[in-house]
Every structure is written in structure tokens, then in C-alpha cells.
Amino acid sequence: MSTAQRPALALLRNGVLIDDGFAEAFAMKATRVIVTAHNAQWARHAAEAATGLATSVIACGCEAGIERTLAADETPDGRPGVALLLFAMSGKELAKQIERRIGQCVLTCPTTAAFAGLAEGEPVALGRNLRFFGDGWQIAKLIDGQRYWRIPVMDGEFVVQESTPVIKAVGGGNLLLLARDTDCALAAAEAAVAAMRRLPNVVMPFPGGVVRSGSKVGSKYPALSASTNDAFCPGLRGLVPHSEIAAEVRCVLEVVIDGLSEADVAAAMRAGLQAGIAIGAAGGLLRISAGNYGGKLGPYHFHLHRLLEDRA
């Protein structure tokens, strides 16, 4: 491995090089929506549909995912549920995505209801406009100061809270996992995502929590705002002057994390780092890096070495 390919200040843990670099993240707006249903299966159907096509704000409008499943005693109506987290670059865009996704994917799903999952924040419409689907038959109900709408549908009624709070959040935390081969990279990524999913307030919005098409800002084509992260493409080793790929690296996968706070993203990244280190070089994970843009894109910088030093 050349000097350029092995950062001089890299840290070695269980045979895995940890770059002396940082993941650069940016400010987002977020909300949590609780979806319940007659049983867990239908709550899951609605949740998966509502968070579909929500991997990246580059082209999806929002980033979203399932935070966790909820037992009946954890939900507002005492039925099985799922907690969703949705993130967007502005409150206006997030409000549009919430209404569209709840209206098309939750209202339409048998037996479901939808509730706000945050206690405080700037309220945006959840059911305020969806109520008009009731064509005048909708009924408002006020419980403990919160307004709910009962919209008649063919299996009974769709209950939805009037609004959901939106708060400031953080998007774009990330880890780059450089491995010996595809099997090793998948194992490391799956372990990192599993560790992160044990934590609250975060989602990893890509399929299975993992992305292979990491991107850099800009492109040789003016119409594109992002393009392939060529420095981390094994197939371009020796072709791009700034390649980060060593000879023994054959596969790189990225885990992207969105969280309700800087501390939430840091905790998830730390959990992912530790999961990767536990696999170690013996398991084929050779290096952990992170994507940044020289500190010019976002105000949140998650330094990998500092994350490992901070056990709090």
C-alpha cells in the first residue's frame, strides 16, 4: 500500500485501518410518524410503502426509513405499530413529502392510523389536509388538546392526527468500509447496520442500510450535481490520480446515517465503527474511512478517531 493510499495518521484496530478523517454531515429537518394497524404485518406494509423511494434527497425529495417496530403498549391507540423517521432539506419540502407519503401509502393501507411521534417542534400538516378525502363526512375529535381526524374509508375509518412536529436534524453521517472482497464488505456493512439499528433516533435510508454508489459533489457533466465517488471505486485504481484503493481492496460499501441530533448520528457511527472493528482484518475488513467535502458542505464533522475515543 502506498503512502497516498494509507493515511499517515491512520489508527490500527484489530488489523483494520481507521482513517484520521471525518464524515461531513449537513442540517436537515425531520419528523417521526407512528403508523399503527390491526396487526404488525399491516403496519409494516404501510411503513415500507411510506418510506419507499426515499434513499437520497438528491432525487427522492426526502430520506426516510423505519426506526423500529412498536409493541401495542407503545402506541397511541394500543395497536401494533412502526416508527418512521423522515428527513428533508427544508421544512417546506418535508411537509410536502409527509402529506404525499401518508396520503398515498398509509391512508390507502387497510386498518391503519397515523400519529405524530415527536412531542415538540414546528407543526406541519399530517391529517389537516388529508381529511378532505372524507368528502364532508370526516369528523374532528379533540383529545388532551390534540386534534384528530376520523375519515370514513371502506374498512371503517382512517384516524390521523392533525399535525406532526418538525425539528432540526442531521443528515449524511457515513462510514466507508473497504474490504478484501464482496462477501467481506457485505458482512461488515450488515454488522454495522445491525449495530446502528439498535439505537434510537436514526435511520439508514438506503436498501438494507447500505449504498454501493457513494457519490462526490459535482460531475464532468454540468447538469449533474453528484457523480460516482471515483476515488473509492476499485475498478478505477490506477486510472484516477487520487484513488484511495489499495491493491488488496476489492469492494467498498458505505453506510449513510440520518439522525434527530448530532449526538444521535455520532452514537450510530461509533456503533458501526465498533462492529466493523470486531470483524477485523481476519474477517476481510481492511480499512474504515468516511466521506467529506473538505468541510465545505456541512457544519457537522464526525472525526473517526474522536468517535472511538469518546465512550460516552
Side-chain angles (χ1 to χ4, degrees):
M1 183 181 292
S2 71
T3 302
Q5 292 161 344
R6 176 176 292 181
L9 298 177
L11 181 70
L12 194 64
R13 292 285 179 87
N14 198 22
V16 181
L17 286 168
I18 313 297
D19 281 11
D20 186 24
F22 63 92
E24 185 173 357
F26 42 85
M28 300 186 85
K29 294 294 183 69
T31 193
R32 176 188 285 123
V33 175
I34 305 298
V35 175
T36 67
H38 184 67
N39 58 42
Q41 177 183 352
W42 284 104
R44 191 82 184 183
H45 282 321
E48 289 176 348
T51 57
L53 189 59
T55 55
S56 171
V57 292
I58 292 175
C60 301
C62 77
E63 299 179 4
I66 293 173
E67 181 186 17
R68 68 185 184 97
T69 58
L70 301 171
D73 61 2
E74 296 179 284
T75 66
D77 62 359
R79 302 190 302 166
V82 179
L84 315 180
L85 293 179
L86 300 97
F87 300 77
M89 297 304 290
S90 70
K92 182 178 180 182
E93 179 63 29
L94 184 59
K96 184 170 71 176
Q97 292 289 334
I98 292 167
E99 193 166 280
R100 180 176 297 170
R101 289 167 183 273
I102 300 304
Q104 296 300 311
C105 304
V106 181
L107 164 63
T108 58
C109 183
T111 79
T112 60
F115 305 93
L118 295 175
E120 297 180 345
E122 180 181 354
V124 302
L126 183 58
R128 185 184 306 146
N129 300 319
L130 294 178
R131 76 179 193 266
F132 295 115
F133 181 73
D135 200 25
W137 297 102
Q138 67 272 18
I139 300 171
K141 194 170 186 63
L142 200 63
I143 302 175
D144 295 332
Q146 296 293 327
R147 184 180 300 277
Y148 301 85
W149 288 99
R150 300 170 59 188
I151 302 170
V153 287
M154 293 193 299
D155 71 351
E157 62 181 17
F158 175 58
V159 176
V160 59
Q161 198 163 341
E162 164 90 350
S163 62
T164 183
V166 168
I167 61 173
K168 294 179 179 178
V170 177
N174 67 84
L175 295 175
L176 291 166
L177 307 169
L178 290 73
R180 187 170 56 224
D181 55 34
T182 301
D183 286 339
C184 296
L186 284 173
E190 290 167 2
V193 170
M196 294 175 184
R197 283 180 172 161
R198 298 188 189 102
L199 301 176
N201 304 332
V202 296
V203 293
M204 285 60 71
F206 285 92
V210 183
V211 54
R212 70 172 183 177
S213 57
S215 61
K216 65 179 183 298
V217 175
S219 165
K220 67 182 291 185
Y221 305 105
L224 299 181
S225 61
S227 60
T228 191
N229 193 353
D230 47 17
F232 286 92
C233 293
L236 298 181
R237 178 175 177 270
L239 298 176
V240 294
H242 51 282
S243 176
E244 293 278 347
I245 301 299
E248 62 268 35
V249 173
R250 293 288 185 272
C251 185
V252 182
L253 294 174
E254 181 176 4
V255 180
V256 175
I257 308 106
D258 297 333
L260 295 184
S261 72
E262 184 176 6
D264 292 325
V265 174
M269 287 185 61
R270 185 180 301 113
L273 278 166
Q274 292 168 342
I277 290 169
I279 287 177
L285 181 62
L286 304 176
R287 176 183 165 196
I288 301 178
S289 186
N292 67 71
Y293 313 93
K296 298 177 181 177
L297 182 67
Y300 302 102
H301 300 165
F302 298 96
H303 292 263
L304 301 184
H305 289 189
R306 294 179 193 170
L307 289 172
L308 290 175
E309 293 166 359
D310 182 6
R311 300 290 179 178

